[in-house]
Amino acid sequence: MKIFVYSAHAYEIPFLQRLAEGKHELVFTEKKLTLDTAQWASGCEAVALFTADDASAPVIQKLHAFGIRFIALRSAGYDHVDLAKAEKLGISVANVPAYSPYAIAEHAVALLLALNRRITEAQTLMRLQDFRLDTLVGFDIHGKTVGIIGTGTIGMAFVKIMKGFGARLIGYDPVKNKEAEELGLQYVSLDELFKSSDIISIHCPLNEHTRYLISKPQLEKMKKNAILINTSRGGIVNTEDLLEALESGRLGGACLDVYEKEKSLFFEDHRNSTLKDVLFTRLRSNKNVIVTGHQAFLTTEALQGIAGTTIENIDYWEDGQTSPHELNKVAKVANVN
Ligand code: NAI
């Protein structure tokens, strides 16, 4: 089967190629799927997408007109896909629900440690031969209260690491996880979580209930000097309100791997352009913020896992079967267009 792979980067192409060899023809582009680039998939039966690709209703409509009948997501999150539109047009969509939850949880911890222990600042000072420590004071995570929003696959991996640090664990999730409770996590209301946590880490999906879940009213409830970690989706946090809380000195810091307007920024080289996004410039220049460009998933193990499930999902579809990771229940008419 011929598949057009959008947003394909050098770090993942070898994994996909190896697994597709002898079965599928993959056509790669580094460019994102947009209304303008949709026509490039003409002549293919499926597209493989990442988080920055635009799979909104008009784009899906266009893909359908070019003969696309299957969308293989190379991500767990699917907030960038209009599933209802895909279903209406008979396009199946499958995701990669779990690859390496450790990759994302470990990155969240890396951001937390780097910000708290001022590692990037220390490195800069070291290069300048300034060995003073005055600006580098952090705090022990041991004994602190860590609030986890979303105790699913990634949230649980984060819970286990934080338990190892000796933190007190509290959590909020509409669906309680028994394993988390067995590890000592206590489920509380969101309000209680905001009020009691020294560190808050977000591991829930972006949807209509979680968009701007963290805005001014929630930020105002948080402990002074609390640290917020978001490795989930940018749209869960209102960046303007977050900046206000940081700039007024209410919030201690923010560790971010995602940003609500990341689509026009991340995964591309902007070295020769002036960034017009003032909000993002304020964010990355704040000394109490550490930002990475949606790289939490970027480990060899995760890339292997993503490629494996993506190709598996395509195999299922080609065989006329339903992948266990199919997100919409499209009636199967064999695998012909
Ligand atoms: P999961 O589905 O295993 O867990 C999500 C948990 O969030 C579930 O337990 C669910 O009940 C809970 N949840 C749903 N609505 C909630 C709400 N309103 N408040 C609190 N909890 C709620 O998903 P997984 O694999 O743990 O992934 C979580 C998120 O991480 C994904 O949706 C994705 O957005 C993000 N992600 C980020 C990556 C990155 O590279 N930065 C990579 C992979 C995932």
Side-chain angles (χ1 to χ4, degrees):
M1 183 157 84
K2 196 169 170 187
I3 302 132
F4 202 86
V5 187
Y6 285 95
S7 299
H9 294 281
Y11 51 75
E12 60 175 337
I13 290 174
F15 292 99
L16 288 163
Q17 263 171 336
R18 202 174 316 130
L19 291 159
E21 209 176 339
K23 293 193 287 188
H24 308 295
E25 185 190 340
L26 304 182
V27 186
F28 296 101
T29 179
E30 210 177 340
K31 297 279 182 231
K32 293 166 190 165
L33 170 64
T34 63
L35 212 47
D36 292 335
T37 62
Q39 67 201 52
W40 298 352
S42 177
C44 295
E45 290 166 75
V47 289
L49 308 182
F50 197 57
T51 53
D53 290 310
D54 175 7
S56 57
V59 179
I60 291 183
Q61 181 79 54
K62 213 166 172 184
L63 288 174
H64 181 262
F66 292 126
I68 298 301
R69 296 294 178 266
F70 186 64
I71 297 177
L73 299 177
R74 311 196 303 285
S75 61
Y78 48 86
D79 45 277
H80 55 308
V81 184
D82 192 323
L83 289 178
K85 182 70 180 178
E87 183 151 2
K88 206 167 161 199
L89 295 172
I91 297 178
S92 308
V93 183
N95 73 336
V96 181
Y99 34 97
S100 169
Y102 314 108
I104 296 95
E106 287 172 15
H107 191 75
V109 178
L111 291 175
L112 171 62
L113 291 175
L115 185 76
N116 174 30
R117 304 308 296 267
R118 302 275 163 201
I119 300 298
T120 45
E121 199 177 329
Q123 188 68 11
T124 308
L125 292 177
M126 185 60 62
R127 291 202 175 113
L128 293 169
Q129 295 178 189
D130 180 349
F131 304 118
R132 289 173 300 170
L133 302 178
D134 308 272
T135 57
L136 305 179
V137 182
F139 62 81
D140 288 2
I141 293 171
H142 182 96
K144 294 293 180 300
T145 299
V146 178
I148 296 117
I149 302 178
T151 51
T153 319
I154 297 169
M156 271 311 294
F158 187 80
V159 162
K160 288 174 187 165
I161 302 173
M162 284 298 112
K163 186 173 169 63
F165 273 83
R168 176 183 165 239
L169 302 167
I170 59 174
Y172 173 79
D173 193 312
V175 184
K176 286 185 182 168
N177 186 326
K178 215 165 170 251
E179 196 190 352
E181 289 182 308
E182 280 163 10
L183 287 168
L185 178 139
Q186 188 196 345
Y187 281 102
V188 295
S189 66
L190 257 186
D191 249 32
E192 179 62 34
L193 187 142
F194 293 138
K195 283 180 194 151
S196 308
S197 303
D198 299 293
I199 297 158
I200 295 174
S201 197
I202 304 169
H203 299 290
C204 63
L206 172 65
N207 56 37
E208 69 273 24
H209 306 293
T210 61
R211 184 167 296 280
Y212 281 176
L213 181 73
I214 310 287
S215 298
K216 194 174 175 162
Q218 294 76 26
L219 288 157
E220 279 176 350
K221 283 178 196 152
M222 289 179 196
K223 272 188 172 177
K224 191 169 157 51
N225 292 327
I227 289 188
L228 179 71
I229 310 169
N230 186 10
T231 54
S232 228
R233 282 294 180 266
I236 298 171
V237 176
N238 182 320
T239 314
E240 185 75 60
D241 292 353
L242 173 68
L243 273 163
E244 208 174 282
L246 287 161
E247 287 163 1
S248 68
R250 261 205 56 73
L251 202 69
C255 305
L256 310 171
D257 184 51
V258 286
Y259 166 57
E260 58 175 306
K261 294 177 187 163
E262 69 179 51
K263 270 202 168 88
S264 58
L265 291 171
F266 290 0
F267 308 117
E268 281 170 11
D269 182 358
H270 291 278
R271 272 178 297 182
N272 294 323
S273 53
T274 309
L275 292 190
K276 292 190 186 83
D277 188 334
V278 181
L279 202 61
F280 189 63
T281 301
R282 267 169 73 198
L283 200 60
R284 71 196 165 106
S285 55
N286 189 301
K287 71 176 176 53
N288 291 323
V289 175
I290 185 162
V291 200
T292 48
H294 206 137
Q295 70 170 74
F297 69 96
L298 204 59
T299 67
T300 308
E301 291 80 358
L303 291 170
Q304 177 77 39
I306 292 169
T309 309
T310 302
I311 301 298
E312 238 173 67
N313 286 340
I314 292 167
D315 291 346
Y316 268 108
W317 190 80
E318 193 177 37
D319 292 346
Q321 295 175 33
T322 304
S323 154
H325 311 311
E326 207 163 290
L327 297 165
N328 52 352
K329 299 288 165 245
V330 173
K332 284 267 171 320
V333 191
N335 58 358
V336 287
N337 298 329

